[in-house]
Amino acid sequence: MLLQPVWNFLLGHSSLLRSPFFQVFFSLTVYLIFCLPFLLLDLLSSRWSLVRRYKLQPQSSVNWTTVKSCLALNLYNHLVFIFPLTVLNWYLRPVVLPQEAPPLPQMVAQVLVCLLLFDFQSFIWHLLHHKVPWLYRTFHKVGSEFKLHHTYTSTSALTAEYSGAWEILSLGLFAAVNPLLLGCHPLTEMLFFIVNIWLSVEDHCGYDLPWATHRLIPFGLYGGARHHDLHHLKSKCNFAPYFTHWDRLAGTLYT
């Protein structure tokens, strides 16, 4: 009952939801909207000490060259790699839009499970690139396209998707497959994508804000921006993107 009005509104735009362009437009738009507040903070941090005090690396700054480089690569990846695969998926698996919205408890539970699965898959994938010599030589060493994501040791929101094709496609596959494995409702799938994009942007924002996700989740279970900023600084620690339990178990957690 709580979600039905929202789903009815979306069903009123079913032609857009069924479009092969929707997924690319949706993910890119959500990503850029989430980046905007942090870009504003980057502009203000050079002038206001009140903002700069929350920066994880106060000596760093974001310039327009970085912004343009990140935006250009992001648009390139979406147009050249993500869009063709989205069209192929749209052709092979037509969009099905049920009339009823999912129950709220089920939606929340499935989004959490999708996040936990994505976190585990990303952790294993990332760890393997450091442990398997062939993967490291081919994709992870300096100069490879994978290393693009580690170009910036000081993170900012737009660096969340500053990655080569191999990383974009691998992590995109994990994010797309998990809702299918769980049989998620399209509304649940959309919410998962929104939450996943937000957490990724927040991970790379470069700020330790009082309302950050890692401050809301107790017992150090969630790493957040501080956790992931250390990964960009030191590279061989904190491989999981969000939660800390896998790095703690593997002995790769650094705080």
Side-chain angles (χ1 to χ4, degrees), residues 68-101:
K68 288 188 290 185
S69 177
C70 290
L71 285 174
L73 182 61
N74 189 266
L75 290 172
Y76 174 81
N77 284 335
H78 274 80
L79 291 174
V80 175
F81 300 110
I82 298 175
F83 178 64
L85 291 176
T86 301
V87 172
L88 180 63
N89 179 66
W90 169 83
Y91 178 77
L92 297 176
R93 192 176 68 92
V95 177
V96 177
L97 301 175
Q99 291 302 307
E100 292 187 359

Side-chain angles (χ1 to χ4, degrees), residues 151-214:
T151 299
Y152 301 103
T153 55
S154 175
T155 54
S156 61
L158 284 173
T159 62
E161 293 192 8
Y162 190 79
S163 303
W166 172 249
E167 182 170 8
I168 285 288
L169 295 178
S170 299
L171 300 184
L173 177 65
F174 299 151
V177 164
N178 291 336
L180 292 178
L181 293 175
L182 296 178
C184 292
H185 189 280
L187 186 59
T188 304
E189 189 174 358
M190 289 177 69
L191 180 62
F192 164 62
F193 287 149
I194 291 171
V195 173
N196 199 32
I197 292 171
W198 165 253
L199 293 180
S200 179
V201 169
E202 189 191 44
D203 258 8
H204 293 82
C205 72
Y207 292 88
D208 185 6
L209 298 168
W211 54 83
T213 305
H214 71 273

Side-chain angles (χ1 to χ4, degrees), residues 18-233:
R18 289 190 169 96
S19 167
F21 301 97
F22 174 73
Q23 288 185 348
V24 172
F25 174 79
F26 175 77
S27 65
L28 189 57
T29 302
V30 170
Y31 172 68
L32 293 176
I33 288 173
F34 285 160
C35 285
L36 281 176
F38 297 113
L39 289 175
L40 179 60
L41 288 180
D42 289 332
L43 289 174
L44 295 175
S45 66
S46 61
R47 302 178 182 181
W48 290 1
S49 59
L50 178 64
V51 176
R52 193 162 54 251
R53 65 185 289 192
Y54 293 109
K55 280 184 71 70
L56 290 165
Q57 299 184 44
Q59 77 286 354
S60 67
S61 61
V62 177
N63 54 54
W64 285 112
T65 302
T66 299
V67 171
K68 288 188 290 185
S69 177
C70 290
L71 285 174
L73 182 61
N74 189 266
L75 290 172
Y76 174 81
N77 284 335
H78 274 80
L79 291 174
V80 175
F81 300 110
I82 298 175
F83 178 64
L85 291 176
T86 301
V87 172
L88 180 63
N89 179 66
W90 169 83
Y91 178 77
L92 297 176
R93 192 176 68 92
V95 177
V96 177
L97 301 175
Q99 291 302 307
E100 292 187 359
L104 182 59
Q106 176 185 310
M107 184 174 74
V108 172
Q110 287 185 329
V111 168
L112 178 59
V113 173
C114 282
L115 286 173
L116 289 169
L117 281 173
F118 180 82
D119 192 66
F120 171 70
Q121 293 158 339
S122 300
F123 169 77
I124 294 297
W125 177 89
H126 205 169
L127 188 65
L128 284 174
H129 280 76
H130 278 269
K131 300 298 183 183
V132 179
W134 179 82
L135 288 174
Y136 184 85
R137 288 194 309 270
T138 308
F139 299 109
H140 206 64
K141 66 179 181 179
V142 175
S144 69
E145 66 162 14
F146 180 89
K147 195 65 179 179
L148 278 171
H149 189 61
H150 286 273
T151 299
Y152 301 103
T153 55
S154 175
T155 54
S156 61
L158 284 173
T159 62
E161 293 192 8
Y162 190 79
S163 303
W166 172 249
E167 182 170 8
I168 285 288
L169 295 178
S170 299
L171 300 184
L173 177 65
F174 299 151
V177 164
N178 291 336
L180 292 178
L181 293 175
L182 296 178
C184 292
H185 189 280
L187 186 59
T188 304
E189 189 174 358
M190 289 177 69
L191 180 62
F192 164 62
F193 287 149
I194 291 171
V195 173
N196 199 32
I197 292 171
W198 165 253
L199 293 180
S200 179
V201 169
E202 189 191 44
D203 258 8
H204 293 82
C205 72
Y207 292 88
D208 185 6
L209 298 168
W211 54 83
T213 305
H214 71 273
R215 294 186 177 276
L216 303 178
I217 298 177
F219 311 120
L221 296 174
Y222 187 86
R226 292 177 63 184
H227 177 263
H228 198 69
D229 190 71
L230 286 169
H231 171 69
H232 277 259
L233 272 174

